[in-house]
Amino acid sequence: MNKSIRDSAREAGAVVNGVRADDARALRADSVTQLRRGLILDAARAAFFELGLEGASMRAIARRAGYSPGAIYGYFASREEIYAALLGESLLRLKAHVDGAPDADHAADRVKSKASAFFDFYRQNPRDLDLGFYLFQGVRPTGLTRELDAQLNAQLRATLQPTADALSAFGLTAAACEAEVTSLFAHMVGLLVLIHTGRIRMFGQHAPQLLARHLDQLTERLGRSASSAAA
Amino acid sequence: MNKSIRDSAREAGAVVNGVRADDARALRADSVTQLRRGLILDAARAAFFELGLEGASMRAIARRAGYSPGAIYGYFASREEIYAALLGESLLRLKAHVDGAPDADHAADRVKSKASAFFDFYRQNPRDLDLGFYLFQGVRPTGLTRELDAQLNAQLRATLQPTADALSAFGLTAAACEAEVTSLFAHMVGLLVLIHTGRIRMFGQHAPQLLARHLDQLTERLGRSASSAAA
Amino acid sequence: MNKSIRDSAREAGAVVNGVRADDARALRADSVTQLRRGLILDAARAAFFELGLEGASMRAIARRAGYSPGAIYGYFASREEIYAALLGESLLRLKAHVDGAPDADHAADRVKSKASAFFDFYRQNPRDLDLGFYLFQGVRPTGLTRELDAQLNAQLRATLQPTADALSAFGLTAAACEAEVTSLFAHMVGLLVLIHTGRIRMFGQHAPQLLARHLDQLTERLGRSASSAAA
Amino acid sequence: MNKSIRDSAREAGAVVNGVRADDARALRADSVTQLRRGLILDAARAAFFELGLEGASMRAIARRAGYSPGAIYGYFASREEIYAALLGESLLRLKAHVDGAPDADHAADRVKSKASAFFDFYRQNPRDLDLGFYLFQGVRPTGLTRELDAQLNAQLRATLQPTADALSAFGLTAAACEAEVTSLFAHMVGLLVLIHTGRIRMFGQHAPQLLARHLDQLTERLGRSASSAAA
DNA sequence: CATGAATGAGAGTTCATTCAT
DNA sequence: GATGAATGAACTCTCATTCAT
């Protein structure tokens, strides 16, 4: 995949023989390209963190990456594509974080573990939250391509799956489970927004505590429902 | 039409009548200025509703106000300041909307009434939500003055007071009450974000239903706590 | 018409009284604006003559006009619009030139007079020919708006009307007359292209002489047809 | 596919057989280079047909040729030079087309046959017309070298020779013949411009018909002159 | 007070051409 | 010879803000 974005329609080179020097070179070039894409993404992240989404222009990104503005287009077709890549990668890290949260035996503990992991990721990485909001920000008519949007949505949904699975252990129907996970997701998003905007201070509250309380109440309620259903 | 509005505004300042000529002039000048600020804000709101936050340029606002671009700066120091004023006015309308919600007898109904009013205002006026997010959005290099920020915060808090009052009727301590209102506020914000960004569709859920459910659970829980405390 | 291109939606100022200072100011401002438009067009023409159509960038035009690039957009909405204005004005001069050609008594002389006037205008003003070709150059998908194109077409056609009128004096049907004027137009265009590109030298010919010969043959033929039709 | 073409082209140079090794190598290198130039020209023509003159970037040409952008510069010094080569080749095809037109017995028919062949080539291959105009177009800052220009002129003139020969059969002097062929050439160029730019529609005329009429009149007139000269 | 022309910086993007590998 | 990453200048166009009038 060392093909530049612009010249990607080229055919693969002819196979020669033996250890295939061509392949080796292609692989090396490939990895170099990937490395540079990574460096540009790092620069983009840095620019975005320093300057905000609006301020992080292609020029700013290029400068930070040590490139001329035009050079970036060899790696990413547009500014949007850079942000999509950044977000995709962010969601990957989020997923890893959630997957890494302990898989407690009891359903209640598992819900708390997984939901808190989701929450904590964004609480501890506020820039990733910015990134996550990028796609949402305002009414965005000219956004990403439809497929890319769908893919990012799917990635986001996947990070909530462990929580959904834990919830379903309470014996919920699929529909009820979806309602609960949506509601919980909304709750966490709201808390994150309050943290992010500093508005939580306005209430003199501590967000993690509020989430913990919310999760307690949620699991308690579900526990009650489950036992009454069993009766 | 715009011109005639401006002209009649000017006429309004023509009435002369008072104790000290200086004060009268100052007052008159003040009120005329306030009136014109108001007209500009109307224009800004219209522009912003039509064109969105990015699209509502100073030119667009000035055109709608019947002013030249430069004239605006006699009333507002910057684009940012206009938006802050708009937000203040938006919060005023929000407050009116919440205050207008029926004051049910039962605490549970009152919580539902007031909280739903808050929620519905933003659900039905997504542009006001945009406005609300605008100043909080991400990393803001050039923000508002500290006082302005505090004032807007206070206004926001005031719109939640009726809900807080209703909650306190369940016999909560002040601290518990604050925690509940914060939690509820976060929940609503989260749902609004999901609506606003279209992400709620991703879960196939209906936001008002989710809120109703949340309010049911909340009031039920508080009711349970209240009766057990009474016992 | 002192309204800038961008803010042209403004209403007219309120009428006051007497000689109407507002109107006077508006008129003066108007004429200043027209003057500046003219200066920009001059600069555009100069840029275009020096650098060719591709090379005459907005920057180049602005520099020559003594403006910053952005300032031009207060007078013309786009690069295309500048060229359209340039072409429109060129066609106006062409029309004046053709209309000013003597109105000979005999049809043959009138054809020669009017057609030669058309031809000579472009022969002596090769830059105007460039301009005329601008709209035609290559396959231009993104060109002028449809209305503008139609208007310029009409202007062009109007410059050929005197020739068409003279031709019709030979007793031609409307259809025959249109065929003759088209054919003659094509002939002149062809000769102009040969002059313009220097290709006429390749044949060692003198274009005005060739046109004169062509007109002689044309009028002679039409004269023969007319007399044989009369017999 | 492009690759394999290139590879087989390389193989073609593998045959070694000759008197002096140096010469053989030089010749071989030469022919291989010519072959590759041809392949690049094919790609350039394809790009240009698909994308137009503006759209056919070096990247697009290189991609179609199976080369990297930089490699092209080993065969052509600039984009301009590619287009010059393309034009030369286009003129070759034009010549073949004209030469292939039937050699009628009567002079009048031969004129019509050869002239129509010229005209039809460009009518049916509008991109070749674009190419033809490209180098002549307006004020050209960076033009061709003098020799190249002369060579292309000669090629163009050669395509008109059959028509000139047919005209001379009417008993014209060399000078008269040259005047007639120039005039006819101009006429056809004019018609082609009108077709090409869609301006012919403005007159509601059909170009081939106009040309046929023009040729009828031309040959009739020459026939008349010839017979009167014979008398 | 109001005008509106003008600035100046900046946006995203394209591309012929170069040159180290 | 060929690569293709990179340059650097260019493109059109937008906009908040300033300032002479």
Side-chain angles (χ1 to χ4, degrees):
Chain A
M1 280 312 192
N2 182 33
K3 296 164 180 178
S4 84
I5 295 290
R6 277 143 114 151
D7 295 302
S8 57
R10 298 275 306 287
E11 310 291 311
V15 175
V16 183
N17 70 351
V19 186
R20 270 170 294 188
D22 259 21
D23 279 18
R25 188 188 307 155
L27 274 172
R28 191 174 57 239
D30 247 37
S31 75
V32 167
T33 291
Q34 286 307 328
L35 208 144
R36 286 176 186 158
R37 266 180 74 100
L39 292 176
I40 289 170
L41 283 182
D42 290 346
R45 203 171 4 247
F48 155 53
F49 285 4
E50 282 176 48
L51 307 166
L53 276 162
E54 302 287 291
S57 66
M58 291 300 270
R59 275 176 175 77
I61 295 169
R63 198 175 317 126
R64 260 158 258 262
Y67 278 113
S68 64
I72 306 291
Y73 289 85
Y75 297 92
F76 296 94
S78 69
R79 194 174 175 266
E80 291 285 288
E81 206 176 284
I82 293 181
Y83 281 115
L86 232 38
L87 177 54
E89 187 250 17
S90 167
L91 290 170
L92 242 43
R93 274 183 290 120
L94 168 60
K95 184 158 167 35
H97 189 82
V98 170
D99 287 346
D103 249 336
D105 283 345
H106 295 316
D109 292 342
R110 222 157 57 237
V111 168
K112 291 176 188 178
S113 167
K114 295 302 187 183
S116 296
F118 181 99
F119 183 78
D120 287 340
F121 176 81
Y122 279 122
R123 194 166 58 92
Q124 284 154 20
N125 302 282
R127 300 310 188 177
D128 289 287
L129 190 60
D130 274 328
L131 220 34
F133 276 135
Y134 175 62
L135 295 175
F136 311 153
Q137 204 157 79
V139 188
R140 321 198 75 265
T142 62
L144 307 163
T145 56
R146 199 160 293 275
E147 315 97 84
L148 200 44
D149 190 56
Q151 183 203 312
L152 292 171
N153 262 351
Q155 276 192 264
L156 175 57
R157 184 59 183 77
T159 63
L160 291 166
Q161 198 50 49
T163 305
D165 290 342
L167 284 169
S168 71
F170 280 98
L172 297 173
T173 65
C177 185
E178 199 67 11
E180 291 293 353
V181 79
T182 310
S183 190
L184 178 51
F185 177 50
H187 200 91
M188 293 191 296
V189 165
L191 282 173
L192 289 167
V193 167
L194 293 200
I195 296 174
H196 197 57
T197 60
R199 261 60 199 172
I200 195 92
R201 273 173 293 155
M202 155 182 148
F203 298 91
Q205 301 296 314
H206 189 55
Q209 224 161 32
L210 288 181
L211 180 67
R213 244 193 30 144
H214 185 76
L215 290 174
D216 281 342
Q217 290 162 359
L218 168 61
T219 51
E220 196 182 317
R221 174 167 52 79
L222 292 182
R224 255 198 325 271
S225 299
S227 59
S228 76
Chain B
M1 277 303 240
N2 280 328
K3 275 266 171 154
S4 66
I5 290 177
R6 272 177 64 203
D7 290 339
S8 56
R10 238 175 233 138
E11 306 305 313
V15 177
V16 176
N17 196 10
V19 194
R20 280 202 284 155
D22 260 23
D23 279 18
R25 192 185 304 156
L27 273 171
R28 189 176 64 237
D30 240 44
S31 77
V32 168
T33 293
Q34 287 309 321
L35 216 148
R36 288 180 187 161
R37 273 178 66 102
L39 293 175
I40 290 169
L41 284 182
D42 290 345
R45 196 178 318 108
F48 158 52
F49 272 51
E50 279 176 51
L51 308 165
L53 274 163
E54 302 286 290
S57 64
M58 291 299 266
R59 266 187 181 76
I61 293 169
R63 176 158 50 244
R64 277 169 182 73
Y67 276 112
S68 64
I72 306 291
Y73 289 85
Y75 299 93
F76 295 93
S78 69
R79 197 171 175 265
E80 201 88 346
E81 207 178 284
I82 292 182
Y83 280 118
L86 268 188
L87 176 54
E89 189 256 11
S90 167
L91 290 171
L92 244 41
R93 276 183 287 123
L94 168 61
K95 182 158 168 35
H97 188 82
V98 170
D99 286 347
D103 249 337
D105 284 344
H106 294 315
D109 292 341
R110 221 156 60 239
V111 168
K112 291 177 189 176
S113 170
K114 295 302 187 183
S116 295
F118 181 98
F119 182 77
D120 287 341
F121 176 81
Y122 279 123
R123 194 166 58 92
Q124 283 154 21
N125 302 283
R127 291 301 196 180
D128 287 288
L129 192 61
D130 272 330
L131 217 37
F133 278 133
Y134 174 65
L135 301 166
F136 306 150
Q137 195 162 90
V139 190
R140 297 180 308 91
T142 63
L144 307 165
T145 55
R146 201 159 293 275
E147 316 98 84
L148 196 44
D149 190 56
Q151 182 202 312
L152 292 171
N153 263 351
Q155 278 191 264
L156 176 58
R157 185 56 183 79
T159 65
L160 291 166
Q161 196 51 50
T163 305
D165 291 342
L167 285 170
S168 72
F170 279 98
L172 297 174
T173 64
C177 185
E178 199 64 12
E180 290 293 353
V181 80
T182 310
S183 188
L184 178 50
F185 177 51
H187 200 91
M188 293 192 295
V189 165
L191 282 174
L192 288 168
V193 167
L194 293 201
I195 294 175
H196 198 57
T197 61
R199 260 57 196 177
I200 194 93
R201 271 175 294 155
M202 161 180 146
F203 297 92
Q205 300 297 313
H206 187 56
Q209 224 162 32
L210 289 181
L211 179 68
R213 242 192 32 144
H214 184 76
L215 290 173
D216 280 343
Q217 290 161 3
L218 168 61
T219 52
E220 197 181 318
R221 173 165 53 77
L222 291 182
R224 251 197 329 268
S225 298
S227 60
S228 75
Chain C
M1 279 316 195
N2 183 33
K3 296 159 178 180
S4 85
I5 295 292
R6 276 142 112 155
D7 295 302
S8 55
R10 296 275 303 289
E11 312 289 309
V15 175
V16 183
N17 70 351
V19 187
R20 269 170 297 192
D22 259 24
D23 280 18
R25 189 188 308 155
L27 274 172
R28 193 174 55 240
D30 246 37
S31 74
V32 168
T33 293
Q34 286 308 327
L35 209 144
R36 286 176 187 158
R37 268 180 72 101
L39 292 176
I40 290 170
L41 283 183
D42 290 345
R45 205 175 358 250
F48 156 52
F49 285 2
E50 282 176 49
L51 308 165
L53 277 162
E54 301 288 292
S57 66
M58 291 302 267
R59 269 181 177 75
I61 294 170
R63 198 176 316 127
R64 259 158 260 260
Y67 278 113
S68 65
I72 306 293
Y73 289 85
Y75 298 92
F76 297 93
S78 69
R79 195 173 174 266
E80 291 281 293
E81 207 178 281
I82 293 182
Y83 281 115
L86 233 37
L87 178 53
E89 188 248 18
S90 166
L91 289 171
L92 241 43
R93 276 184 287 120
L94 168 60
K95 184 159 166 33
H97 190 83
V98 169
D99 286 347
D103 249 337
D105 284 344
H106 295 314
D109 292 342
R110 221 155 62 237
V111 168
K112 290 176 188 176
S113 169
K114 294 303 187 182
S116 295
F118 181 99
F119 182 78
D120 286 342
F121 176 82
Y122 279 122
R123 194 166 59 91
Q124 284 154 20
N125 302 285
R127 300 310 188 180
D128 288 287
L129 189 61
D130 274 328
L131 220 34
F133 277 135
Y134 175 62
L135 295 174
F136 311 153
Q137 208 157 76
V139 187
R140 320 198 77 263
T142 65
L144 308 162
T145 56
R146 201 159 292 274
E147 316 99 84
L148 199 44
D149 190 57
Q151 182 202 312
L152 292 171
N153 262 350
Q155 275 192 265
L156 175 58
R157 185 58 182 77
T159 63
L160 290 167
Q161 197 51 49
T163 305
D165 291 342
L167 285 169
S168 71
F170 279 98
L172 297 174
T173 65
C177 186
E178 199 66 12
E180 290 293 351
V181 80
T182 311
S183 189
L184 177 52
F185 178 51
H187 200 91
M188 292 190 299
V189 165
L191 281 174
L192 289 167
V193 167
L194 293 202
I195 295 174
H196 198 55
T197 59
R199 261 57 198 175
I200 194 93
R201 272 175 294 156
M202 154 184 149
F203 297 92
Q205 301 296 313
H206 188 55
Q209 223 162 34
L210 288 181
L211 179 66
R213 242 192 34 144
H214 185 75
L215 290 174
D216 281 341
Q217 289 160 3
L218 167 61
T219 51
E220 196 183 320
R221 173 165 55 77
L222 292 182
R224 254 199 325 271
S225 298
S227 59
S228 74
Chain D
M1 273 306 237
N2 281 324
K3 276 266 174 157
S4 67
I5 289 177
R6 273 176 63 202
D7 290 342
S8 56
R10 238 175 231 137
E11 307 305 315
V15 177
V16 177
N17 194 10
V19 194
R20 281 201 284 157
D22 260 20
D23 279 17
R25 191 185 305 155
L27 273 171
R28 187 176 65 235
D30 239 43
S31 78
V32 168
T33 292
Q34 285 309 323
L35 214 149
R36 288 179 187 163
R37 273 178 68 102
L39 293 175
I40 290 170
L41 284 183
D42 289 346
R45 198 178 315 110
F48 158 53
F49 273 49
E50 279 176 51
L51 308 166
L53 274 163
E54 301 287 288
S57 65
M58 291 298 268
R59 266 187 179 75
I61 293 169
R63 176 156 54 244
R64 278 170 181 74
Y67 276 110
S68 64
I72 306 291
Y73 289 83
Y75 298 92
F76 296 92
S78 70
R79 199 170 173 265
E80 200 88 346
E81 205 176 286
I82 292 182
Y83 280 118
L86 268 189
L87 176 54
E89 188 257 13
S90 166
L91 290 170
L92 244 41
R93 275 183 289 122
L94 168 61
K95 183 157 168 34
H97 189 82
V98 170
D99 287 347
D103 249 337
D105 283 346
H106 296 314
D109 291 343
R110 221 155 61 235
V111 168
K112 291 176 188 176
S113 168
K114 294 304 186 181
S116 295
F118 181 98
F119 183 76
D120 287 341
F121 177 81
Y122 278 122
R123 194 166 58 93
Q124 285 154 20
N125 301 285
R127 292 302 196 179
D128 287 287
L129 191 60
D130 272 331
L131 217 38
F133 278 133
Y134 174 64
L135 300 166
F136 307 150
Q137 196 163 86
V139 191
R140 298 180 309 90
T142 63
L144 307 165
T145 55
R146 200 160 293 275
E147 316 96 83
L148 196 44
D149 190 57
Q151 182 203 314
L152 292 172
N153 262 351
Q155 278 191 265
L156 176 57
R157 185 57 183 77
T159 65
L160 290 166
Q161 197 51 49
T163 305
D165 291 344
L167 285 169
S168 71
F170 279 98
L172 297 174
T173 63
C177 186
E178 199 64 13
E180 290 293 351
V181 78
T182 310
S183 188
L184 177 51
F185 177 51
H187 200 91
M188 293 191 297
V189 165
L191 282 174
L192 288 167
V193 167
L194 293 201
I195 295 175
H196 198 55
T197 61
R199 260 57 195 178
I200 193 94
R201 270 175 294 157
M202 162 180 144
F203 298 92
Q205 301 296 315
H206 187 56
Q209 224 162 30
L210 288 181
L211 180 67
R213 242 194 31 145
H214 184 77
L215 290 174
D216 281 342
Q217 290 161 3
L218 167 62
T219 51
E220 198 183 317
R221 173 167 54 79
L222 292 182
R224 253 199 325 272
S225 298
S227 58
S228 75

